[in-house]
Amino acid sequence: MKLTLLILFALVTAFTYWLRHINLRHLKQYGSAVPEGFEGSIDEGKLRTSTAYTFDSSRLGLWESLLDNGLLILFLFGGLIVLYDHLVLGFCKGFITQAVLYFLLLTWAQALLGIPFDLYGTFRIEARYGFNTTTPRLWLMDLFKSQAIGALLLTFLACVAFRLIQWSPQHWWVWVWAFMALFSLFMMFISPYVIEPLFNKFEPVTEEGLEAEIRAMMEKAGLKVGRVMQMDASRRSRHSNAYFTGIGKVKRIVLFDTLIRQMSHGEIVAVLAHEIGHWKKGHIWKRLLTAEVLALGGSWLSFRLLTWPGLPGLLGLPGDLSFPARMVILGFIGSLALFPLSPLSAWRSRCHEREADRFASDLTGRPQDLASALVKMSAENLSNLFPHPWYAAFYYSHPPAVERVRSLRASIPAAGSRDLSP
């Protein structure tokens, strides 16, 4: 079984690298012609720059993936997990303490290995293409803050989860699932006010007249949002975006300050109408419900497999490995089993994005504004406008920009005859 799993891992990894290869080959073959609807915002020079940016970013991601996968093979198939397990168990006593230390050290090791790639990506690739605005000092501050927050959250979650495992050996899978579900909802409430402000400054939209247009659009949609904020994204990057955050009474819309500078009021309103479409169409709660149902099933299956004595033997490892080590093994096997579901998850997300596009078009009555906004965002972010269909099927949570713009522009002639009620 060990050889079977190694071959399966090799096949899955090779397939992901093949997808990356055909995606870049597709871009090289078709990426020199300006797509219909993008004229005026993108020229051949911009396309060449976009292609080079995609190649450089993909090459860096490939090297990082090769390192990660090589170390994973050594850790699981080379037996390093056994040495690591004995090291942690010999260093401290207590079921909960050992579990916390086990996962903290793995998390820190992964973060440490990722630092060179993050540095090169930020200060070489992003800087080369005019995106990076962060400083070494700010980068270090972000690193320390993110690691500190991550360590605190991981310690808290591990302490509670493993205490529940101790308390209810036969039914912990229900209690751990319930705790994690409640904690996730709790984080959605507090993140906009506690976590996010640790990294960025948020303030009410300052663009004259913009907030009034946004409020009018939200009133038309029948949606009450706590606040419409702008974020100082330009401190770190010139990339632009907008997003919906929070839940219930604390939900808010956040605009990157870079996006506000790049777009007209109508385009910004259209982007926000798209984000509101996700809420009005129930995409957020549907995703939450689906995730929790799957998590409950996964929790039960994990309970069954983690208590199975033969689990470590699937990788040719001794059966006396600790509970955290068994969780790592199960996580690896689970990732292989779930890989075929990746395109299904991506397809569902793209369906939601198309729904949100249609909602925004109907709400504003101006699909051309959203199309124009997408064109500008693609140009400013040097997005790949020519992804291979198979690559997009596996990895794209949004339909390709060219497809979205084409669909929006096709609806323009009929926009005036639509029912614009939300």
Side-chain angles (χ1 to χ4, degrees), residues 255-295:
L255 302 170
F256 285 23
D257 57 356
T258 49
L259 182 131
I260 294 176
R261 295 168 190 166
Q262 294 167 3
M263 296 187 181
S264 68
H265 287 195
E267 292 165 342
I268 294 172
V269 169
V271 170
L272 295 184
H274 170 92
E275 297 299 324
I276 288 174
H278 285 305
W279 188 270
K280 295 293 289 186
K281 292 293 182 178
H283 298 160
I284 296 175
W285 72 262
K286 288 177 183 176
R287 291 173 188 174
L288 285 173
L289 182 60
T290 301
E292 293 308 328
V293 170
L294 293 175

Side-chain angles (χ1 to χ4, degrees), residues 200-241:
N200 290 98
K201 179 182 177 182
F202 296 85
E203 59 183 0
V205 172
T206 57
E207 180 82 7
E208 185 177 356
L210 178 58
E211 184 169 6
E213 294 183 39
I214 294 173
R215 294 286 180 186
M217 182 265 296
M218 289 192 296
E219 183 177 349
K220 184 178 181 180
L223 182 69
K224 293 183 178 180
V225 177
R227 307 179 77 179
V228 180
M229 311 293 289
Q230 67 181 42
M231 183 182 80
D232 61 340
S234 58
R235 288 183 64 206
R236 293 172 176 82
S237 173
R238 292 189 175 90
H239 286 291
S240 58
N241 209 342

Side-chain angles (χ1 to χ4, degrees), residues 18-197:
W18 177 74
L19 284 176
R20 187 193 301 262
H21 167 70
I22 63 172
N23 186 55
L24 295 178
R25 187 180 63 186
H26 190 266
L27 172 60
K28 189 174 182 179
Q29 183 177 359
Y30 298 101
S32 59
V34 178
E36 183 181 355
F38 286 73
E39 303 89 346
S41 294
I42 295 180
D43 54 22
E44 292 184 2
K46 190 77 150 181
L47 283 178
R48 286 193 295 271
T49 303
S50 174
T51 298
Y53 177 64
T54 301
F55 269 82
D56 285 348
S57 299
S58 181
R59 190 178 297 114
L60 179 64
L62 175 62
W63 283 111
E64 185 172 13
S65 174
L66 288 170
L67 176 62
D68 289 344
N69 289 329
L71 292 174
L72 180 63
I73 291 174
L74 286 175
F75 190 69
L76 292 178
F77 294 93
L80 289 182
I81 188 174
V82 178
L83 298 177
Y84 178 73
D85 199 52
H86 290 163
L87 175 66
V88 174
L89 267 61
F91 183 79
C92 58
K93 302 297 181 183
F95 180 67
I96 296 177
T97 305
Q98 290 173 344
V100 170
L101 183 62
Y102 196 100
F103 289 111
L104 270 181
L105 291 179
L106 283 180
T107 301
W108 287 337
Q110 185 178 33
L112 187 63
L113 291 170
I115 285 177
F117 298 98
D118 194 20
L119 282 172
Y120 188 85
T122 300
F123 294 103
R124 289 297 298 272
I125 295 180
E126 293 293 301
R128 181 184 305 157
Y129 293 95
F131 290 125
N132 180 54
T133 57
T134 194
T135 63
R137 180 176 179 274
L138 182 57
W139 184 90
L140 280 173
M141 289 176 60
D142 285 346
L143 175 65
F144 289 138
K145 283 189 288 188
S146 61
Q147 289 303 310
I149 294 170
L152 287 173
L153 292 177
L154 177 58
T155 299
F156 172 70
L157 291 173
C159 285
V160 175
F162 283 91
R163 181 66 185 91
L164 290 171
I165 293 172
Q166 273 189 325
W167 173 67
S168 181
Q170 298 303 315
H171 303 97
W172 61 259
W173 59 276
V174 177
W175 301 113
V176 170
W177 168 80
F179 164 69
M180 291 295 184
L182 291 174
F183 183 79
S184 298
L185 289 175
F186 175 70
M187 288 301 297
M188 292 182 70
F189 273 100
I190 71 166
S191 181
Y193 295 97
V194 179
I195 305 297
E196 295 173 23

